[in-house]
Amino acid sequence: MKRFIAVLTMSALPLWGGLASAQAPAQSTAQAPAAPVAGRAPLGVTVVEMEAIVVGWSAKHDLFGKTVVNDKNDKIGKIDDLIISPGKAGNTPAATFAIIGVGGFLGIGKRDVAIPTEQLKLQNKQLTLPGATKDALKAMPPFEYQKR
């Protein structure tokens, strides 16, 4: 009896293999799915855009907390934030203002001022605000966040 069951099992194995292969999905000749889209534009960036991203400034790594100096290399403040304003005529928004903390000691007496990002320059791996002084920045109206 044991021999009969063993022979029956061995003879059924090829049948199970045939069933398994019949149930396996056929090789697809379809192409890879298209890139995902948001509205009508493909999501992600193009190769050209990626090249601009790689050489651009990172808010997290290159800007936040970085010291800003003037053209005489005097420390005049630190970048605390970036403001992204709505674009003109519905264009893509851009980081248009840097919020620079000026004055104070250990955070006491510090105030924030808004500076257009186009006025910041990168010179010798240092963020520079040409022509600025601590006194000039302290004389500016303070930047205050709008309550939402």
Side-chain angles (χ1 to χ4, degrees), residues 57 68-69 76 95-98 100 114-123 127-132 137 140:
W57 291 354
V68 178
V69 299
I76 55 174
T96 50
F97 296 94
I100 300 178
I115 299 293
T117 54
E118 62 197 24
Q119 292 180 10
L120 291 170
K121 307 295 180 218
L122 185 61
Q123 296 175 342
L127 288 171
T128 304
L129 187 57
L137 291 177
M140 290 179 62

PDB file of all heavy atoms in Angstrom, residues 57 68-69 76 95-98 100 114-123 127-132 137 140:
ATOM      1  N   TRP A  57      20.799  76.211  -4.379  1.00  0.00           N
ATOM      2  CA  TRP A  57      20.955  76.280  -2.924  1.00  0.00           C
ATOM      3  C   TRP A  57      19.887  75.427  -2.264  1.00  0.00           C
ATOM      4  O   TRP A  57      18.725  75.461  -2.641  1.00  0.00           O
ATOM      5  CB  TRP A  57      20.797  77.705  -2.436  1.00  0.00           C
ATOM      6  CG  TRP A  57      21.888  78.644  -2.814  1.00  0.00           C
ATOM      7  CD1 TRP A  57      23.063  78.339  -3.452  1.00  0.00           C
ATOM      8  CD2 TRP A  57      21.927  80.049  -2.601  1.00  0.00           C
ATOM      9  NE1 TRP A  57      23.812  79.468  -3.625  1.00  0.00           N
ATOM     10  CE2 TRP A  57      23.144  80.531  -3.114  1.00  0.00           C
ATOM     11  CE3 TRP A  57      21.062  80.949  -2.027  1.00  0.00           C
ATOM     12  CZ2 TRP A  57      23.497  81.867  -3.064  1.00  0.00           C
ATOM     13  CZ3 TRP A  57      21.416  82.277  -1.977  1.00  0.00           C
ATOM     14  CH2 TRP A  57      22.630  82.723  -2.491  1.00  0.00           C
ATOM     15  N   VAL A  68      25.230  85.636   7.644  1.00  0.00           N
ATOM     16  CA  VAL A  68      25.283  86.562   6.513  1.00  0.00           C
ATOM     17  C   VAL A  68      26.286  87.644   6.884  1.00  0.00           C
ATOM     18  O   VAL A  68      26.261  88.173   7.996  1.00  0.00           O
ATOM     19  CB  VAL A  68      23.894  87.176   6.232  1.00  0.00           C
ATOM     20  CG1 VAL A  68      23.968  88.169   5.074  1.00  0.00           C
ATOM     21  CG2 VAL A  68      22.875  86.091   5.931  1.00  0.00           C
ATOM     22  N   VAL A  69      27.173  87.952   5.944  1.00  0.00           N
ATOM     23  CA  VAL A  69      28.175  88.993   6.170  1.00  0.00           C
ATOM     24  C   VAL A  69      27.972  90.098   5.133  1.00  0.00           C
ATOM     25  O   VAL A  69      27.296  89.907   4.131  1.00  0.00           O
ATOM     26  CB  VAL A  69      29.620  88.433   6.072  1.00  0.00           C
ATOM     27  CG1 VAL A  69      29.863  87.361   7.128  1.00  0.00           C
ATOM     28  CG2 VAL A  69      29.911  87.887   4.688  1.00  0.00           C
ATOM     29  N   ILE A  76      26.505  90.169  10.007  1.00  0.00           N
ATOM     30  CA  ILE A  76      25.368  91.068  10.188  1.00  0.00           C
ATOM     31  C   ILE A  76      24.084  90.337  10.569  1.00  0.00           C
ATOM     32  O   ILE A  76      23.093  90.980  10.897  1.00  0.00           O
ATOM     33  CB  ILE A  76      25.139  91.935   8.934  1.00  0.00           C
ATOM     34  CG1 ILE A  76      24.967  91.075   7.698  1.00  0.00           C
ATOM     35  CG2 ILE A  76      26.279  92.920   8.744  1.00  0.00           C
ATOM     36  CD1 ILE A  76      24.601  91.850   6.456  1.00  0.00           C
ATOM     37  N   ALA A  95      11.136  81.373  -3.791  1.00  0.00           N
ATOM     38  CA  ALA A  95      11.604  81.915  -2.513  1.00  0.00           C
ATOM     39  C   ALA A  95      12.069  83.328  -2.784  1.00  0.00           C
ATOM     40  O   ALA A  95      13.120  83.538  -3.370  1.00  0.00           O
ATOM     41  CB  ALA A  95      12.727  81.059  -1.950  1.00  0.00           C
ATOM     42  N   THR A  96      11.259  84.291  -2.388  1.00  0.00           N
ATOM     43  CA  THR A  96      11.546  85.662  -2.763  1.00  0.00           C
ATOM     44  C   THR A  96      12.159  86.497  -1.651  1.00  0.00           C
ATOM     45  O   THR A  96      12.760  87.529  -1.931  1.00  0.00           O
ATOM     46  CB  THR A  96      10.269  86.352  -3.265  1.00  0.00           C
ATOM     47  OG1 THR A  96       9.223  86.143  -2.320  1.00  0.00           O
ATOM     48  CG2 THR A  96       9.836  85.788  -4.600  1.00  0.00           C
ATOM     49  N   PHE A  97      12.018  86.066  -0.406  1.00  0.00           N
ATOM     50  CA  PHE A  97      12.570  86.831   0.704  1.00  0.00           C
ATOM     51  C   PHE A  97      13.278  85.922   1.689  1.00  0.00           C
ATOM     52  O   PHE A  97      12.794  84.835   2.001  1.00  0.00           O
ATOM     53  CB  PHE A  97      11.473  87.611   1.446  1.00  0.00           C
ATOM     54  CG  PHE A  97      10.819  88.659   0.597  1.00  0.00           C
ATOM     55  CD1 PHE A  97       9.658  88.378  -0.083  1.00  0.00           C
ATOM     56  CD2 PHE A  97      11.391  89.910   0.468  1.00  0.00           C
ATOM     57  CE1 PHE A  97       9.054  89.335  -0.885  1.00  0.00           C
ATOM     58  CE2 PHE A  97      10.799  90.874  -0.335  1.00  0.00           C
ATOM     59  CZ  PHE A  97       9.629  90.585  -1.013  1.00  0.00           C
ATOM     60  N   ALA A  98      14.408  86.380   2.172  1.00  0.00           N
ATOM     61  CA  ALA A  98      15.117  85.699   3.258  1.00  0.00           C
ATOM     62  C   ALA A  98      14.810  86.471   4.527  1.00  0.00           C
ATOM     63  O   ALA A  98      14.869  87.702   4.541  1.00  0.00           O
ATOM     64  CB  ALA A  98      16.618  85.683   3.000  1.00  0.00           C
ATOM     65  N   ILE A 100      16.121  87.398   7.951  1.00  0.00           N
ATOM     66  CA  ILE A 100      17.427  87.421   8.615  1.00  0.00           C
ATOM     67  C   ILE A 100      17.246  87.940  10.038  1.00  0.00           C
ATOM     68  O   ILE A 100      16.660  89.006  10.243  1.00  0.00           O
ATOM     69  CB  ILE A 100      18.423  88.303   7.837  1.00  0.00           C
ATOM     70  CG1 ILE A 100      18.610  87.740   6.421  1.00  0.00           C
ATOM     71  CG2 ILE A 100      19.759  88.402   8.566  1.00  0.00           C
ATOM     72  CD1 ILE A 100      19.522  88.551   5.542  1.00  0.00           C
ATOM     73  N   ALA A 114      13.139  91.291   6.577  1.00  0.00           N
ATOM     74  CA  ALA A 114      12.978  90.609   5.292  1.00  0.00           C
ATOM     75  C   ALA A 114      13.883  91.256   4.255  1.00  0.00           C
ATOM     76  O   ALA A 114      13.875  92.476   4.079  1.00  0.00           O
ATOM     77  CB  ALA A 114      11.520  90.675   4.846  1.00  0.00           C
ATOM     78  N   ILE A 115      14.658  90.417   3.581  1.00  0.00           N
ATOM     79  CA  ILE A 115      15.574  90.882   2.536  1.00  0.00           C
ATOM     80  C   ILE A 115      15.254  90.104   1.259  1.00  0.00           C
ATOM     81  O   ILE A 115      15.178  88.864   1.294  1.00  0.00           O
ATOM     82  CB  ILE A 115      17.047  90.615   2.939  1.00  0.00           C
ATOM     83  CG1 ILE A 115      17.416  91.363   4.218  1.00  0.00           C
ATOM     84  CG2 ILE A 115      17.997  90.965   1.803  1.00  0.00           C
ATOM     85  CD1 ILE A 115      17.429  92.868   4.078  1.00  0.00           C
ATOM     86  N   PRO A 116      15.077  90.785   0.123  1.00  0.00           N
ATOM     87  CA  PRO A 116      14.869  90.047  -1.126  1.00  0.00           C
ATOM     88  C   PRO A 116      16.047  89.099  -1.397  1.00  0.00           C
ATOM     89  O   PRO A 116      17.212  89.491  -1.266  1.00  0.00           O
ATOM     90  CB  PRO A 116      14.794  91.151  -2.187  1.00  0.00           C
ATOM     91  CG  PRO A 116      14.384  92.371  -1.425  1.00  0.00           C
ATOM     92  CD  PRO A 116      15.018  92.233  -0.075  1.00  0.00           C
ATOM     93  N   THR A 117      15.746  87.866  -1.754  1.00  0.00           N
ATOM     94  CA  THR A 117      16.803  86.875  -1.975  1.00  0.00           C
ATOM     95  C   THR A 117      17.743  87.277  -3.104  1.00  0.00           C
ATOM     96  O   THR A 117      18.908  86.901  -3.088  1.00  0.00           O
ATOM     97  CB  THR A 117      16.215  85.483  -2.284  1.00  0.00           C
ATOM     98  OG1 THR A 117      15.308  85.585  -3.378  1.00  0.00           O
ATOM     99  CG2 THR A 117      15.513  84.903  -1.077  1.00  0.00           C
ATOM    100  N   GLU A 118      17.255  88.070  -4.040  1.00  0.00           N
ATOM    101  CA  GLU A 118      18.121  88.493  -5.158  1.00  0.00           C
ATOM    102  C   GLU A 118      19.254  89.403  -4.692  1.00  0.00           C
ATOM    103  O   GLU A 118      20.230  89.590  -5.409  1.00  0.00           O
ATOM    104  CB  GLU A 118      17.297  89.164  -6.247  1.00  0.00           C
ATOM    105  CG  GLU A 118      16.614  90.421  -5.775  1.00  0.00           C
ATOM    106  CD  GLU A 118      15.480  90.861  -6.695  1.00  0.00           C
ATOM    107  OE1 GLU A 118      14.918  90.033  -7.407  1.00  0.00           O
ATOM    108  OE2 GLU A 118      15.177  92.059  -6.669  1.00  0.00           O
ATOM    109  N   GLN A 119      19.137  89.963  -3.481  1.00  0.00           N
ATOM    110  CA  GLN A 119      20.207  90.814  -2.959  1.00  0.00           C
ATOM    111  C   GLN A 119      21.326  90.010  -2.300  1.00  0.00           C
ATOM    112  O   GLN A 119      22.419  90.522  -2.095  1.00  0.00           O
ATOM    113  CB  GLN A 119      19.637  91.819  -1.949  1.00  0.00           C
ATOM    114  CG  GLN A 119      18.733  92.842  -2.598  1.00  0.00           C
ATOM    115  CD  GLN A 119      18.177  93.840  -1.596  1.00  0.00           C
ATOM    116  OE1 GLN A 119      18.591  93.901  -0.444  1.00  0.00           O
ATOM    117  NE2 GLN A 119      17.223  94.645  -2.051  1.00  0.00           N
ATOM    118  N   LEU A 120      21.063  88.753  -1.978  1.00  0.00           N
ATOM    119  CA  LEU A 120      22.098  87.902  -1.382  1.00  0.00           C
ATOM    120  C   LEU A 120      23.032  87.387  -2.461  1.00  0.00           C
ATOM    121  O   LEU A 120      22.594  87.008  -3.549  1.00  0.00           O
ATOM    122  CB  LEU A 120      21.471  86.717  -0.649  1.00  0.00           C
ATOM    123  CG  LEU A 120      20.698  87.039   0.619  1.00  0.00           C
ATOM    124  CD1 LEU A 120      19.942  85.813   1.095  1.00  0.00           C
ATOM    125  CD2 LEU A 120      21.638  87.536   1.697  1.00  0.00           C
ATOM    126  N   LYS A 121      24.289  87.372  -2.171  1.00  0.00           N
ATOM    127  CA  LYS A 121      25.308  86.862  -3.095  1.00  0.00           C
ATOM    128  C   LYS A 121      26.090  85.766  -2.388  1.00  0.00           C
ATOM    129  O   LYS A 121      26.231  85.776  -1.164  1.00  0.00           O
ATOM    130  CB  LYS A 121      26.275  87.978  -3.518  1.00  0.00           C
ATOM    131  CG  LYS A 121      25.609  89.218  -4.068  1.00  0.00           C
ATOM    132  CD  LYS A 121      24.883  88.952  -5.356  1.00  0.00           C
ATOM    133  CE  LYS A 121      24.239  90.223  -5.881  1.00  0.00           C
ATOM    134  NZ  LYS A 121      22.961  90.026  -6.470  1.00  0.00           N
ATOM    135  N   LEU A 122      26.611  84.850  -3.156  1.00  0.00           N
ATOM    136  CA  LEU A 122      27.482  83.807  -2.613  1.00  0.00           C
ATOM    137  C   LEU A 122      28.903  84.138  -3.053  1.00  0.00           C
ATOM    138  O   LEU A 122      29.231  84.068  -4.230  1.00  0.00           O
ATOM    139  CB  LEU A 122      27.073  82.423  -3.134  1.00  0.00           C
ATOM    140  CG  LEU A 122      27.824  81.247  -2.559  1.00  0.00           C
ATOM    141  CD1 LEU A 122      27.615  81.151  -1.052  1.00  0.00           C
ATOM    142  CD2 LEU A 122      27.367  79.955  -3.210  1.00  0.00           C
ATOM    143  N   GLN A 123      29.730  84.551  -2.081  1.00  0.00           N
ATOM    144  CA  GLN A 123      31.115  84.920  -2.373  1.00  0.00           C
ATOM    145  C   GLN A 123      32.026  84.160  -1.422  1.00  0.00           C
ATOM    146  O   GLN A 123      31.846  84.246  -0.201  1.00  0.00           O
ATOM    147  CB  GLN A 123      31.327  86.427  -2.210  1.00  0.00           C
ATOM    148  CG  GLN A 123      30.520  87.259  -3.187  1.00  0.00           C
ATOM    149  CD  GLN A 123      30.653  88.756  -2.922  1.00  0.00           C
ATOM    150  OE1 GLN A 123      31.057  89.199  -1.869  1.00  0.00           O
ATOM    151  NE2 GLN A 123      30.287  89.540  -3.938  1.00  0.00           N
ATOM    152  N   LEU A 127      27.552  83.662   2.435  1.00  0.00           N
ATOM    153  CA  LEU A 127      26.420  84.479   2.017  1.00  0.00           C
ATOM    154  C   LEU A 127      26.722  85.937   2.351  1.00  0.00           C
ATOM    155  O   LEU A 127      27.021  86.268   3.494  1.00  0.00           O
ATOM    156  CB  LEU A 127      25.149  84.031   2.731  1.00  0.00           C
ATOM    157  CG  LEU A 127      24.590  82.696   2.267  1.00  0.00           C
ATOM    158  CD1 LEU A 127      23.469  82.250   3.185  1.00  0.00           C
ATOM    159  CD2 LEU A 127      24.109  82.790   0.839  1.00  0.00           C
ATOM    160  N   THR A 128      26.628  86.774   1.342  1.00  0.00           N
ATOM    161  CA  THR A 128      26.997  88.179   1.495  1.00  0.00           C
ATOM    162  C   THR A 128      25.813  89.065   1.118  1.00  0.00           C
ATOM    163  O   THR A 128      25.113  88.798   0.146  1.00  0.00           O
ATOM    164  CB  THR A 128      28.203  88.513   0.583  1.00  0.00           C
ATOM    165  OG1 THR A 128      29.263  87.623   0.892  1.00  0.00           O
ATOM    166  CG2 THR A 128      28.678  89.933   0.776  1.00  0.00           C
ATOM    167  N   LEU A 129      25.625  90.113   1.899  1.00  0.00           N
ATOM    168  CA  LEU A 129      24.644  91.137   1.594  1.00  0.00           C
ATOM    169  C   LEU A 129      25.420  92.427   1.395  1.00  0.00           C
ATOM    170  O   LEU A 129      25.707  93.156   2.355  1.00  0.00           O
ATOM    171  CB  LEU A 129      23.624  91.251   2.729  1.00  0.00           C
ATOM    172  CG  LEU A 129      22.432  92.156   2.497  1.00  0.00           C
ATOM    173  CD1 LEU A 129      21.660  91.742   1.248  1.00  0.00           C
ATOM    174  CD2 LEU A 129      21.520  92.113   3.709  1.00  0.00           C
ATOM    175  N   PRO A 130      25.834  92.700   0.151  1.00  0.00           N
ATOM    176  CA  PRO A 130      26.694  93.856  -0.113  1.00  0.00           C
ATOM    177  C   PRO A 130      26.072  95.168   0.348  1.00  0.00           C
ATOM    178  O   PRO A 130      24.883  95.403   0.180  1.00  0.00           O
ATOM    179  CB  PRO A 130      26.855  93.840  -1.639  1.00  0.00           C
ATOM    180  CG  PRO A 130      26.533  92.447  -2.048  1.00  0.00           C
ATOM    181  CD  PRO A 130      25.519  91.958  -1.063  1.00  0.00           C
ATOM    182  N   GLY A 131      26.910  96.010   0.963  1.00  0.00           N
ATOM    183  CA  GLY A 131      26.487  97.327   1.397  1.00  0.00           C
ATOM    184  C   GLY A 131      25.707  97.370   2.695  1.00  0.00           C
ATOM    185  O   GLY A 131      25.379  98.441   3.190  1.00  0.00           O
ATOM    186  N   ALA A 132      25.386  96.221   3.279  1.00  0.00           N
ATOM    187  CA  ALA A 132      24.587  96.194   4.506  1.00  0.00           C
ATOM    188  C   ALA A 132      25.464  96.340   5.742  1.00  0.00           C
ATOM    189  O   ALA A 132      26.631  95.962   5.734  1.00  0.00           O
ATOM    190  CB  ALA A 132      23.811  94.886   4.584  1.00  0.00           C
ATOM    191  N   LEU A 137      20.408  97.241   9.112  1.00  0.00           N
ATOM    192  CA  LEU A 137      19.398  96.191   9.254  1.00  0.00           C
ATOM    193  C   LEU A 137      18.536  96.418  10.499  1.00  0.00           C
ATOM    194  O   LEU A 137      17.328  96.191  10.473  1.00  0.00           O
ATOM    195  CB  LEU A 137      20.056  94.816   9.308  1.00  0.00           C
ATOM    196  CG  LEU A 137      20.704  94.351   7.998  1.00  0.00           C
ATOM    197  CD1 LEU A 137      21.384  93.015   8.189  1.00  0.00           C
ATOM    198  CD2 LEU A 137      19.695  94.270   6.875  1.00  0.00           C
ATOM    199  N   MET A 140      15.730  98.840   9.870  1.00  0.00           N
ATOM    200  CA  MET A 140      14.636  98.399   8.997  1.00  0.00           C
ATOM    201  C   MET A 140      13.410  98.041   9.827  1.00  0.00           C
ATOM    202  O   MET A 140      13.532  97.655  10.994  1.00  0.00           O
ATOM    203  CB  MET A 140      15.062  97.173   8.182  1.00  0.00           C
ATOM    204  CG  MET A 140      16.087  97.446   7.119  1.00  0.00           C
ATOM    205  SD  MET A 140      16.558  95.931   6.236  1.00  0.00           S
ATOM    206  CE  MET A 140      15.001  95.452   5.511  1.00  0.00           C
TER     207      MET A 140
END
